[in-house]
Amino acid sequence: MDALRSALQPITHNLPGPIRDLGISIIGDQCYKAILLDIDLENTECIKLAVSKGLGIGIIGASSIVKVPQILKLVASRSADGVSFLSYLLETTAYLITLAYNFRNGFPFSTYGETALILGQNVVISVLLLNYSNRAALAAVLVAVLAAAGGALFTDGLLDLKLLSYLQAGAGVLGVASKLPQILAIAQQGGTGQLSAFTVFNYLAGSLSRIFTTLQEVDDKLILYGFVSGFVLNAILAAQMVYYWNAPSEKAKGKRRATPVNAAPAKAKSSATPTKKSPTTRRRARSLYK
C-alpha cells in the first residue's frame, strides 16, 4: 500500500485545477482528500460514494444514446411490429413524474439525470409508433398533453410536494406496469419484432446500477422500490430477447405460410401435346376428300 501511495501521490497532488475542482464537486472535499490525496483505500464510505458517482455519470452518458438504436430500427423498417405503444406511454408518464419529483426534492443530478434524456427519446419513439400504426394525428395530441403535464408537475404553485410524492408512488406502479404490455406482446407474437436488443440490455444494466446508487445517495424508499421492480421486469425482457433471438414473429410466419417456398411450380402445357379433335372438325376433314 505504501508503495502504491508513494507512486500515485506525486500525480494526484499535481492534478490540473479544473480536474481537481471537478473531482471535489463530484465526491466532496473530504472524500477527494481521502481517496486522491491520502490514497486511503480503506475508507469504504468514500470508496462507495466514488463508485456510486462514477456509475451515475456513466448511466447518464449511456442514456443519451440508449434508445437511439431503437429509433433507428423503427425508422429503417417503418414498422411498429413487436414494440408496444402502451408500454412506452406508461413509461414516459412515469419518467415525467419521477423527473419532477427528483428535481423538486433537490436530489443529486447524478442519481436521476438519465431520466430526462430517456424521457426525450421515449417521446420520439412514441410519435414514431403512432405514425407507423396509422395514428399520426394522435402524435401532436400526445406531445401537447405531455407538455401541459410537465408544466404542472414542475410548478410549485400548482402541485405541492406532498401530492407529488403520491404521484411518485403511482409512477413506481406505472414504471412496473409499463414493462408488462411489452412482455405480453413478445409472448403473443413469439418474437421480438423491431425491439432493440441494445436498449433492452442497457436498461437491465442501468436499473441494476441505479439500485446501488440509490442505496448510497438517496434515502427514499419510493425511488428504490421502483428501481428494484424495474430490474426484475427488465430481466424478464432480457430473457425473452435471448430466447426469441432468431425466432421470426407470428406475422412473418403467416407470410411464409401464405407463400410456400417449396411449392412446386405448375407445369405448363406443352404445345406438342396432341389435342383431341372435336366431331365438327372431323366432319370438315372428311368433306375435303369427297
Side-chain angles (χ1 to χ4, degrees):
M1 180 62 69
D2 291 336
L4 179 64
R5 185 178 292 110
S6 62
L8 291 179
Q9 280 183 334
I11 300 173
T12 58
H13 279 257
N14 293 283
L15 291 173
I19 296 178
R20 182 179 63 251
D21 294 341
L22 179 62
I24 293 173
S25 67
I26 292 175
I27 60 176
D29 186 67
Q30 182 179 353
C31 284
Y32 180 88
K33 181 178 181 299
I35 297 175
L36 291 175
L37 298 183
D38 298 337
I39 316 296
D40 182 9
L41 300 183
E42 294 180 358
N43 192 327
T44 56
E45 290 303 316
C46 283
I47 294 295
K48 288 180 181 179
L49 178 61
V51 171
S52 177
K53 291 293 187 181
L55 283 173
I57 293 171
I59 293 170
I60 293 172
S63 67
S64 63
I65 61 167
V66 68
K67 294 201 173 183
V68 171
Q70 181 66 79
I71 294 171
L72 295 177
K73 197 169 184 180
L74 288 171
V75 172
S77 65
R78 302 187 69 81
S79 168
D81 182 37
V83 185
S84 171
F85 170 73
L86 178 59
S87 178
Y88 272 95
L89 179 62
L90 293 175
E91 185 181 68
T92 300
T93 304
Y95 270 43
L96 183 60
I97 295 171
T98 300
L99 179 61
Y101 180 79
N102 279 273
F103 177 80
R104 290 179 58 181
N105 276 283
F107 294 140
F109 184 75
S110 61
T111 64
Y112 72 90
E114 79 280 0
T115 305
L117 298 172
I118 295 176
L119 176 62
Q121 294 171 75
N122 273 358
V123 173
V124 174
I125 292 173
S126 299
V127 169
L128 290 174
L129 291 176
L130 288 173
N131 186 51
Y132 296 143
S133 302
N134 298 319
R135 293 178 289 174
L138 292 177
V141 176
L142 174 65
V143 173
V145 170
L146 290 174
L153 289 168
F154 281 89
T155 304
D156 295 335
L158 295 177
L159 201 67
D160 60 19
L161 281 175
K162 184 177 181 180
L163 181 55
L164 186 58
S165 66
Y166 293 143
L167 291 178
Q168 176 59 32
V173 177
L174 283 179
V176 174
S178 70
K179 306 296 179 185
L180 296 178
Q182 185 64 71
I183 292 171
L184 292 175
I186 293 173
Q188 290 171 356
Q189 295 184 18
T192 55
Q194 302 305 319
L195 190 64
S196 168
F198 178 85
T199 299
V200 170
F201 289 113
N202 271 273
Y203 254 41
L204 178 64
S207 58
L208 178 60
S209 300
R210 273 300 175 220
I211 293 174
F212 178 78
T213 60
T214 302
L215 286 170
Q216 293 301 313
E217 300 184 61
V218 179
D219 185 18
D220 194 308
K221 300 300 182 185
L222 289 175
I223 295 177
L224 177 62
Y225 295 154
F227 283 128
V228 170
S229 56
F231 171 75
V232 172
L233 293 177
N234 283 328
I236 295 174
L237 275 174
Q240 285 182 312
M241 182 63 70
V242 172
Y243 182 78
Y244 293 113
W245 189 261
N246 293 316
S249 65
E250 290 297 324
K251 187 176 181 180
K253 290 178 183 177
K255 288 182 179 179
R256 290 184 182 180
R257 285 194 293 266
T259 56
V261 176
N262 298 323
K267 292 183 178 180
K269 288 186 178 181
S270 172
S271 59
T273 304
T275 57
K276 189 176 181 181
K277 295 182 179 180
S278 66
T280 304
T281 305
R282 287 199 298 271
R283 283 196 299 271
R284 288 177 180 173
R286 284 197 300 267
S287 65
L288 293 175
Y289 293 97
K290 286 184 179 179

